[in-house]
Amino acid sequence: EIPDSLPMIENEQKRAKQAFLRGIPTAISYDVVKVGDSYGSVFELLNSRSFAKILAEEPERMDWCVREYVEILKKIHETRVPAGKLPPLKAKAQAWVGRMKSALPAPYGEKIQRMIDAIPERDTLLHGDFHTKNIVLAGDEVLLIDMDTLSVGNPIFELAQVYNAYVGFSEYDPEIVWRFQGFDAHVADAFWKKSLQAYFQTQDEENLQKIESKVRCVAYAFLIAWNLEEEEKSEEDQKTLELWMQRLCGLLREVDTLII
């Protein structure tokens, strides 16, 4: 860990404890240690494989991975958290839009702002970085790791980050998902679509497309804000930004609410 990481480590431990006490299966952190000028967490020994590795090495287990993945995700989203225990994610989402809306044509920037503002508040748990590298199989137990992004809020914010992990970040360059997750873009896309079907318990393509369009609006708002923070952009970065902006504006011509 970096030398000034002690507050970050303590924060992750506190958030992980909040999840564990509410029945979310997660690795247990026992202690904080200092080695030289650096700090680190001591976790229970995990002889584990990430879902990313399972998908890469055993693609025939995708349906099993989807089922377990969605089961934990829905458990998270059904878990209520007392006020003040975790930060609300909606405020951060509003900040994303505040940073990026002026980069869009005026009607679209104002529209995405209004729709984000109208998303109902929730007191239920969000992981914030829920992808297949953060879900592990330890023996016969499925566990969630990397708890520093825990918050509360509407599930659409979580689903937007899930979409980005498998599709959004790599829409311009499909190699990105391979470098990050260790499996091909077509596997990532299939995993996303199957997970969406399982989460909403429907095979209705028209309904799923409407839901996905709303999720993608939130996803692109984050991606554009994230890209705009980079002071120096490569040509690829600029083309990626233009693609995300084009996709978002296209969606905003058809989507009038982000409530799912």
Side-chain angles (χ1 to χ4, degrees):
E1 295 286 350
I2 56 176
D4 60 351
S5 63
L6 182 57
M8 296 164 54
I9 292 169
E10 291 175 338
N11 178 63
E12 180 176 7
Q13 287 187 328
K14 289 178 182 177
R15 295 190 183 192
K17 184 177 179 180
Q18 289 295 321
F20 182 77
L21 291 175
R22 286 165 178 79
I24 306 300
T26 183
I28 301 171
S29 176
Y30 289 111
D31 204 355
V32 176
V33 295
K34 185 177 182 181
V35 181
D37 293 328
S38 299
Y39 295 91
S41 289
V42 178
F43 285 89
E44 60 180 323
L45 180 63
L46 293 179
N47 181 15
S48 63
R49 296 170 69 208
S50 72
F51 275 32
K53 182 160 290 208
I54 292 172
L55 285 170
E57 296 176 351
E58 303 176 71
E60 68 278 5
R61 297 185 70 185
M62 178 179 289
D63 288 344
W64 177 87
C65 287
V66 167
R67 184 172 65 252
E68 296 291 332
Y69 180 88
V70 171
E71 182 177 331
I72 291 182
L73 185 59
K74 294 189 79 168
K75 182 176 179 62
I76 290 170
H77 294 170
E78 292 166 358
T79 300
R80 300 183 66 182
V81 179
K85 293 293 186 180
L86 291 170
L89 190 55
K90 182 176 177 178
K92 287 188 177 181
Q94 289 169 313
W96 306 338
V97 177
R99 292 198 298 270
M100 55 71 69
K101 68 177 184 178
S102 62
L104 301 176
Y108 299 123
E110 294 303 322
K111 185 174 183 179
I112 186 66
Q113 178 79 73
R114 287 195 306 272
M115 292 198 299
I116 291 283
D117 289 344
I119 294 174
E121 298 277 8
R122 288 270 297 268
D123 63 354
T124 46
L125 193 61
L126 302 174
H127 180 268
D129 197 21
F130 196 83
H131 56 74
T132 52
K133 290 182 75 174
N134 283 338
I135 313 293
V136 301
L137 180 64
D140 58 358
E141 186 177 10
V142 177
L143 299 173
L144 184 59
I145 62 173
D146 283 2
M147 309 297 278
D148 59 306
T149 51
L150 283 184
S151 60
V152 292
N154 196 287
I156 193 170
F157 296 123
E158 183 101 84
L159 294 171
Q161 297 291 46
V162 172
Y163 175 83
N164 284 339
Y166 304 119
V167 184
F169 276 112
S170 53
E171 274 187 283
Y172 181 78
D173 178 10
E175 287 297 310
I176 289 174
V177 75
W178 167 257
R179 294 195 295 268
F180 179 57
Q181 298 284 356
F183 46 74
D184 290 333
H186 76 274
V187 174
D189 186 66
F191 189 82
W192 158 250
K193 291 187 183 306
K194 284 175 176 284
S195 296
L196 197 67
Q197 291 170 357
Y199 186 91
F200 289 98
Q201 298 182 319
T202 181
Q203 301 285 324
D204 185 326
E205 285 301 323
E206 183 178 356
N207 188 29
L208 287 166
Q209 185 175 359
K210 288 179 181 178
I211 294 169
E212 186 181 59
S213 292
K214 295 175 183 181
V215 169
R216 290 172 68 205
C217 285
V218 180
Y220 291 134
F222 169 79
L223 290 172
I224 293 167
W226 173 75
N227 183 288
L228 289 172
E229 288 181 351
E230 297 295 322
E231 294 183 2
E232 296 184 10
K233 292 185 180 61
S234 65
E235 182 178 351
E236 185 173 281
D237 291 336
Q238 187 60 41
K239 288 181 178 178
T240 301
L241 175 62
E242 291 169 1
L243 174 65
W244 290 334
M245 292 175 67
Q246 179 186 3
R247 296 277 169 85
L248 178 56
C249 289
L251 288 166
L252 290 174
R253 287 193 281 270
E254 300 179 1
V255 176
D256 294 317
T257 177
L258 299 177
I259 297 173
I260 55 176

